Amino acid sequence: MIVLGIESSCDETAAAVYTPDGIRSNVIASQTIHEKFGGIVPELASRAHHTRITPTVKQALEEAGTDRDDVDLIAVTSGPGLMGSLLVGLCFAKGLSLACRVPLVGVNHIDAHIYSNFIDHEPRYPFVCLIVSGGHTRLVHVPRPFDHRVLGKTRDDAAGEAFDKIGKLLGLAYPAGPEIDRRSQNGDPDFHSFPRAMIREGFEFSFSGLKTSLLYYVEEKGEDFVQNHLDDICASVSQAITEVLSVKLRRAAEQTGVETVMLAGGVSANSMLRIKAKSAADVMGVELLIPRMEYCTDNAAMIAITGLMKMEEEAIGEEELGLGVRPFARMP
Ligand code: KG4
Ligand code: ZN
């Protein structure tokens, strides 16, 4: 089975080829145009996808040593995401499906982040997964494939969004998550204690108070102080965000009794979160899975593998297969 995965939900145009030997190519064309706006401009994202989708898919097929006629299944992100961006990938996939007479399956982007863990690891159930990306923060309990029981999610900003918005207040370019992570490694995480909302109970998250607290902190201390202690402030912010995330991951594992916990989504690339999640898993004696770095942030390898799993699990109805796949902006 050769699967072509296509992803265009946000600001990465991506294509990947999966074969029975594993992922054979994973091409990601990132859009840098949004940096100067401090966030994604949807119209610019759609236009950039439009110019990049054909060369990206071609490159993925070439790198995998395959031809479009060899493809047995096309898996494409159908949502959630920016509608204009989703439509570019979806319409391209439908055109290819029609031209090459290859079945098409729509993949939920958040499901794909979860199953990116099974690119390098054998599937195992039940598990608890902490999905932390730019648009979503949620804890799910998964007793069997595609049975996602949401334990809790964020009430306001997603964890990645918190990193990005805080970075903007600190004068860092968008997306600021990776830069805050880099700076944190040279800073003191206990330099300042930022709030850890709702850490004591439940599985819900809230990060908007942290952002406001940082805004007041910057106003009180002044620009020079902030720039002189940027690494320490980044480390303190990372500490506050990752402590809440890891405490809730541990609570979810304890309450559900699973033996496997996972991280998924762009923020799972965060070094402090990876360390904290590992020590939480070790204390509980459970296994921790984290995707390889290139599968943490948006990519099409995760779309390909999830599309294949969906087919194999027969978790899809006829209406979802083929040209009837419809885009959706928000999580159903
Ligand atoms: O999953 P993803 O690529 O896209 C969405 O589906 O949202 O996640 C992107 C998010 C951004 O907010 C980015 O700042 C954050 O992931 N991110 C990180 C790191 N790498 C990416 N946040 C903290 N530390 C990182 N190392
Ligand atoms: Zn994502």
Side-chain angles (χ1 to χ4, degrees), residues 32-141:
T32 49
I33 188 161
H34 308 285
E35 272 173 22
K36 58 176 178 273
F37 298 103
I40 293 163
V41 184
E43 175 64 18
L44 296 180
S46 318
R47 289 178 190 215
H49 283 306
H50 189 250
T51 54
R52 282 151 195 226
I53 188 95
T54 305
T56 303
V57 170
K58 265 190 177 163
Q59 190 183 337
L61 289 169
E62 269 167 31
E63 284 183 16
T66 51
D67 186 75
R68 64 183 192 185
D69 294 322
D70 301 330
V71 173
D72 300 303
L73 176 70
I74 301 170
V76 63
T77 307
S78 48
L82 299 169
M83 191 47 93
S85 293
L86 288 166
L87 278 168
V88 176
L90 188 53
C91 290
F92 184 93
K94 284 184 177 179
L96 199 59
S97 158
L98 201 58
C100 301
R101 305 207 167 280
V102 178
L104 171 78
V105 61
V107 171
N108 180 310
H109 180 90
I110 303 300
D111 292 2
H113 272 304
I114 298 174
Y115 296 112
S116 64
N117 275 293
F118 296 157
I119 294 175
D120 289 324
H121 305 103
E122 281 300 309
R124 54 205 77 176
Y125 300 88
F127 63 81
V128 157
C129 185
L130 172 67
I131 306 145
V132 270
S133 72
H136 296 267
T137 294
R138 51 179 65 201
L139 263 170
V140 289
H141 175 218

Side-chain angles (χ1 to χ4, degrees), residues 7 9-10 80 109-110 113 131-136 265-266 296-299 302:
E7 154 68 32
S9 65
C10 195
H109 180 90
I110 303 300
H113 272 304
I131 306 145
V132 270
S133 72
H136 296 267
C296 284
T297 45
D298 289 350
N299 66 87
M302 68 180 192

Side-chain angles (χ1 to χ4, degrees), residues 168-185:
K168 194 174 177 184
L169 294 172
L170 295 173
L172 304 176
Y174 176 88
E179 175 69 5
I180 292 182
D181 188 6
R182 262 192 304 278
R183 287 185 168 275
S184 298
Q185 288 162 34

Side-chain angles (χ1 to χ4, degrees), residues 235-253:
S236 302
V237 165
S238 301
Q239 173 88 327
I241 294 177
T242 58
E243 198 172 299
V244 174
L245 294 173
S246 54
V247 163
K248 302 227 172 195
L249 176 65
R250 178 173 173 179
R251 185 174 297 143

Side-chain angles (χ1 to χ4, degrees), residues 139-214:
L139 263 170
V140 289
H141 175 218
V142 184
R144 62 190 71 81
F146 298 100
D147 183 359
H148 304 158
R149 302 175 181 194
V150 181
L151 299 171
K153 55 188 181 183
T154 182
R155 293 186 177 178
D156 38 59
D157 293 343
E161 194 179 357
F163 273 114
D164 297 339
K165 287 179 173 172
I166 285 169
K168 194 174 177 184
L169 294 172
L170 295 173
L172 304 176
Y174 176 88
E179 175 69 5
I180 292 182
D181 188 6
R182 262 192 304 278
R183 287 185 168 275
S184 298
Q185 288 162 34
N186 304 319
D188 173 9
D190 299 320
F191 182 71
H192 182 79
S193 179
F194 288 106
R196 282 106 160 114
M198 301 196 286
I199 196 166
R200 289 189 202 290
E201 60 193 38
F203 302 117
E204 302 264 288
F205 303 88
S206 168
F207 294 108
S208 65
L210 170 61
K211 181 185 63 195
T212 312
S213 148
L214 181 114

